[in-house]
Structure formats: structure tokens, C-alpha cells
Amino acid sequence: MAEFCVLLARKTSNAFWRLLSVGPGGSRVLVRSSSKAAEQCSSGNYCHDNDNREDQRHLVTNVRTLEMQASKLEEQVQDLTEKYKKALADCDTVRKKTQKFVEDAKLFGIQSFCRDLVEVADLLEQTAVEFEGEERVSLRLNEIQSSLQGVFTKHGLEKMTPVGGQYDPYDHEIVCHVPAEGVQPGIVAVVRLDGYKLHGRTIRHALVGTALHTQEQ
């Protein structure tokens, strides 16, 4: 009789659990209680909150990474901009130097020729002095000198006129000292050989004598 009661109790318990586990429409119902976290996760609320927090952390990390990359790119752009400006300045300097070199080559390409030519002018002046008494020859020499001077002027070649001016080591070369009354020492008093400039550049120094401090002075 006792065994029969135990068996009946087991069958009744099994039927009760089967009845609770099957809901309306045949759907299963969770009977046993679970933890609060499990219920929230099964409903989707807890897991959804975790996903949002994780997405936010990833988003913040990505934003910081992009900001760092943007900062590095900005530094690179600034560096390249400075290098570009420097390269432009260097190119402009080279262009100006090249242009100046070309211009100087045009102006002073005949410098060596002019040095030889002024020696011819020296000979003409000496010859004119020697034949100063002969009118016909002197006139002809003056014409030649005038024509030669026109050529000099055309090509930018000019004779220095240092007498009465201050001695300049860039244009003059002192070959003697001469006593000169009423002239301060260091002033060019005489010219032994004419000096010439080509477009303002000295191509032959003038050989000069400067005034000397005399005892009377």
C-alpha cells in the first residue's frame, strides 16, 4: 500500500510539471526561476545596454584615433608647405642669379676686348701730342679720336677723370706723390695713365699721383 502511494505521488508530480511547461497554443513556458540578469538578457534589455556601451567605447576610440591621424597629417602638410615655400624662394634666387649672370655676360663680355682697345686710344693720344704742331695730321688724329670716343660711349666704356678728386683704391693706383700748393693731401693731382670703366666697372685702374703734404702746408 505504501509503495502504491509513492508511485502515485511521482506520476502526479510529473504530470503537474508537464502541465506547467506547456502553455496555451502549445508554447513552452519557463517555470523555474532564473537570475535577474538572465531574465533581462532573455528579454533583450540587458544585452542591448551592454552592446550600446561597447559601441560607444569603440566610437570614442575611433574618434581619438582619427583625431591623432588628422593632427599628424596637419603637421605633415605644414612641413611640406614650408619646404615648398623654401624651394620656391631658392628657385627664385637661382633665377635672379642666372638672370644677373646673363646680363653681366652681355655687358662685360667685351671687357677683355675693351682693355686692348684703350691701349690703342693711349697710342692715339700720344701720337696727337707728338704731331700737335702739324695741323693736317693733328686734325686727322682728332677725328680718329672722336670716332673712337663715340664707339666707347656706345658700348658703355668711359675714361676716368680723377684729377681734383679723392683717391679711391678701387679706381686708382698711386705711382707717385707730388707737392701741390692749395691742395689737401690725398687728392689726385696728376694722372700718369688714364683709367677706364665699362658700365661702371673698373677695367683698368688709373695711375695717379696724389698731393703731398709740403713743408709750407
PDB file of all heavy atoms in Angstrom, residues 14 19 34 46 58 105 119 125 143 155 157 163 206 211:
ATOM      1  N   ASN A  14       4.955  14.468 -11.991  1.00  0.00           N
ATOM      2  CA  ASN A  14       5.417  14.569 -13.386  1.00  0.00           C
ATOM      3  C   ASN A  14       4.361  15.215 -14.265  1.00  0.00           C
ATOM      4  O   ASN A  14       4.649  16.047 -15.136  1.00  0.00           O
ATOM      5  CB  ASN A  14       5.783  13.187 -13.919  1.00  0.00           C
ATOM      6  CG  ASN A  14       7.048  12.655 -13.245  1.00  0.00           C
ATOM      7  OD1 ASN A  14       7.882  13.424 -12.770  1.00  0.00           O
ATOM      8  ND2 ASN A  14       7.181  11.332 -13.210  1.00  0.00           N
ATOM      9  N   LEU A  19       2.236  19.862 -17.252  1.00  0.00           N
ATOM     10  CA  LEU A  19       1.166  20.813 -17.451  1.00  0.00           C
ATOM     11  C   LEU A  19       1.680  22.244 -17.372  1.00  0.00           C
ATOM     12  O   LEU A  19       1.288  23.100 -18.173  1.00  0.00           O
ATOM     13  CB  LEU A  19       0.072  20.581 -16.372  1.00  0.00           C
ATOM     14  CG  LEU A  19      -1.123  21.540 -16.424  1.00  0.00           C
ATOM     15  CD1 LEU A  19      -1.878  21.380 -17.748  1.00  0.00           C
ATOM     16  CD2 LEU A  19      -2.077  21.251 -15.256  1.00  0.00           C
ATOM     17  N   SER A  34      14.898  32.066 -12.666  1.00  0.00           N
ATOM     18  CA  SER A  34      16.317  32.277 -13.011  1.00  0.00           C
ATOM     19  C   SER A  34      16.751  33.582 -12.385  1.00  0.00           C
ATOM     20  O   SER A  34      15.968  34.324 -11.820  1.00  0.00           O
ATOM     21  CB  SER A  34      16.518  32.306 -14.522  1.00  0.00           C
ATOM     22  OG  SER A  34      15.769  33.355 -15.100  1.00  0.00           O
ATOM     23  N   TYR A  46      19.092  43.908 -21.135  1.00  0.00           N
ATOM     24  CA  TYR A  46      20.424  43.928 -20.531  1.00  0.00           C
ATOM     25  C   TYR A  46      21.497  43.785 -21.596  1.00  0.00           C
ATOM     26  O   TYR A  46      22.488  44.524 -21.606  1.00  0.00           O
ATOM     27  CB  TYR A  46      20.502  42.803 -19.491  1.00  0.00           C
ATOM     28  CG  TYR A  46      21.816  42.775 -18.755  1.00  0.00           C
ATOM     29  CD1 TYR A  46      22.080  43.702 -17.737  1.00  0.00           C
ATOM     30  CD2 TYR A  46      22.776  41.827 -19.081  1.00  0.00           C
ATOM     31  CE1 TYR A  46      23.284  43.673 -17.068  1.00  0.00           C
ATOM     32  CE2 TYR A  46      23.977  41.806 -18.413  1.00  0.00           C
ATOM     33  CZ  TYR A  46      24.227  42.713 -17.402  1.00  0.00           C
ATOM     34  OH  TYR A  46      25.416  42.687 -16.739  1.00  0.00           O
ATOM     35  N   HIS A  58      33.978  51.824 -28.584  1.00  0.00           N
ATOM     36  CA  HIS A  58      34.635  51.712 -29.895  1.00  0.00           C
ATOM     37  C   HIS A  58      34.580  53.036 -30.644  1.00  0.00           C
ATOM     38  O   HIS A  58      35.549  53.436 -31.306  1.00  0.00           O
ATOM     39  CB  HIS A  58      33.968  50.609 -30.720  1.00  0.00           C
ATOM     40  CG  HIS A  58      34.365  49.227 -30.309  1.00  0.00           C
ATOM     41  ND1 HIS A  58      35.672  48.781 -30.337  1.00  0.00           N
ATOM     42  CD2 HIS A  58      33.626  48.189 -29.840  1.00  0.00           C
ATOM     43  CE1 HIS A  58      35.727  47.529 -29.911  1.00  0.00           C
ATOM     44  NE2 HIS A  58      34.495  47.141 -29.598  1.00  0.00           N
ATOM     45  N   ALA A 105      77.069  88.942 -68.534  1.00  0.00           N
ATOM     46  CA  ALA A 105      77.791  88.373 -69.676  1.00  0.00           C
ATOM     47  C   ALA A 105      77.595  89.226 -70.922  1.00  0.00           C
ATOM     48  O   ALA A 105      78.524  89.418 -71.720  1.00  0.00           O
ATOM     49  CB  ALA A 105      77.320  86.940 -69.928  1.00  0.00           C
ATOM     50  N   GLU A 119      94.266 100.657 -75.056  1.00  0.00           N
ATOM     51  CA  GLU A 119      95.688 100.818 -75.350  1.00  0.00           C
ATOM     52  C   GLU A 119      95.877 101.510 -76.694  1.00  0.00           C
ATOM     53  O   GLU A 119      96.813 102.313 -76.868  1.00  0.00           O
ATOM     54  CB  GLU A 119      96.391  99.457 -75.339  1.00  0.00           C
ATOM     55  CG  GLU A 119      96.427  98.810 -73.963  1.00  0.00           C
ATOM     56  CD  GLU A 119      97.149  97.481 -73.964  1.00  0.00           C
ATOM     57  OE1 GLU A 119      97.644  97.083 -75.049  1.00  0.00           O
ATOM     58  OE2 GLU A 119      97.225  96.840 -72.900  1.00  0.00           O
ATOM     59  N   GLU A 125      96.463 109.173 -78.447  1.00  0.00           N
ATOM     60  CA  GLU A 125      96.684 110.397 -77.682  1.00  0.00           C
ATOM     61  C   GLU A 125      98.167 110.792 -77.703  1.00  0.00           C
ATOM     62  O   GLU A 125      98.510 111.986 -77.845  1.00  0.00           O
ATOM     63  CB  GLU A 125      96.207 110.208 -76.242  1.00  0.00           C
ATOM     64  CG  GLU A 125      94.697 110.146 -76.108  1.00  0.00           C
ATOM     65  CD  GLU A 125      94.251 110.042 -74.658  1.00  0.00           C
ATOM     66  OE1 GLU A 125      95.149 110.089 -73.770  1.00  0.00           O
ATOM     67  OE2 GLU A 125      93.043 109.910 -74.400  1.00  0.00           O
ATOM     68  N   GLU A 143      90.009 113.545 -85.428  1.00  0.00           N
ATOM     69  CA  GLU A 143      88.839 112.873 -85.992  1.00  0.00           C
ATOM     70  C   GLU A 143      88.799 111.404 -85.572  1.00  0.00           C
ATOM     71  O   GLU A 143      87.736 110.859 -85.227  1.00  0.00           O
ATOM     72  CB  GLU A 143      88.864 112.985 -87.514  1.00  0.00           C
ATOM     73  CG  GLU A 143      88.614 114.390 -88.041  1.00  0.00           C
ATOM     74  CD  GLU A 143      88.712 114.454 -89.554  1.00  0.00           C
ATOM     75  OE1 GLU A 143      89.037 113.413 -90.172  1.00  0.00           O
ATOM     76  OE2 GLU A 143      88.459 115.537 -90.121  1.00  0.00           O
ATOM     77  N   HIS A 155      79.283 101.574 -76.258  1.00  0.00           N
ATOM     78  CA  HIS A 155      79.405 100.289 -75.557  1.00  0.00           C
ATOM     79  C   HIS A 155      79.620 100.457 -74.055  1.00  0.00           C
ATOM     80  O   HIS A 155      79.945  99.490 -73.357  1.00  0.00           O
ATOM     81  CB  HIS A 155      80.551  99.468 -76.164  1.00  0.00           C
ATOM     82  CG  HIS A 155      80.297  99.046 -77.573  1.00  0.00           C
ATOM     83  ND1 HIS A 155      79.465  97.993 -77.896  1.00  0.00           N
ATOM     84  CD2 HIS A 155      80.749  99.558 -78.751  1.00  0.00           C
ATOM     85  CE1 HIS A 155      79.418  97.852 -79.207  1.00  0.00           C
ATOM     86  NE2 HIS A 155      80.188  98.784 -79.764  1.00  0.00           N
ATOM     87  N   LEU A 157      81.839 102.324 -72.374  1.00  0.00           N
ATOM     88  CA  LEU A 157      83.221 102.470 -71.923  1.00  0.00           C
ATOM     89  C   LEU A 157      83.527 103.953 -71.753  1.00  0.00           C
ATOM     90  O   LEU A 157      83.317 104.755 -72.665  1.00  0.00           O
ATOM     91  CB  LEU A 157      84.170 101.852 -72.958  1.00  0.00           C
ATOM     92  CG  LEU A 157      85.664 101.810 -72.615  1.00  0.00           C
ATOM     93  CD1 LEU A 157      85.900 100.938 -71.387  1.00  0.00           C
ATOM     94  CD2 LEU A 157      86.470 101.297 -73.813  1.00  0.00           C
ATOM     95  N   VAL A 163      91.474 113.765 -61.620  1.00  0.00           N
ATOM     96  CA  VAL A 163      92.218 114.931 -61.129  1.00  0.00           C
ATOM     97  C   VAL A 163      91.302 115.842 -60.319  1.00  0.00           C
ATOM     98  O   VAL A 163      90.209 116.215 -60.769  1.00  0.00           O
ATOM     99  CB  VAL A 163      92.836 115.709 -62.311  1.00  0.00           C
ATOM    100  CG1 VAL A 163      93.532 116.986 -61.794  1.00  0.00           C
ATOM    101  CG2 VAL A 163      93.838 114.843 -63.047  1.00  0.00           C
ATOM    102  N   ALA A 206      93.420 103.809 -62.963  1.00  0.00           N
ATOM    103  CA  ALA A 206      94.172 104.999 -63.368  1.00  0.00           C
ATOM    104  C   ALA A 206      95.431 105.098 -62.521  1.00  0.00           C
ATOM    105  O   ALA A 206      95.394 104.951 -61.295  1.00  0.00           O
ATOM    106  CB  ALA A 206      93.301 106.240 -63.189  1.00  0.00           C
ATOM    107  N   ALA A 211      98.528 114.421 -54.029  1.00  0.00           N
ATOM    108  CA  ALA A 211      99.169 115.591 -53.427  1.00  0.00           C
ATOM    109  C   ALA A 211      99.888 115.211 -52.150  1.00  0.00           C
ATOM    110  O   ALA A 211      99.433 114.380 -51.365  1.00  0.00           O
ATOM    111  CB  ALA A 211      98.105 116.648 -53.148  1.00  0.00           C
TER     112      ALA A 211
END
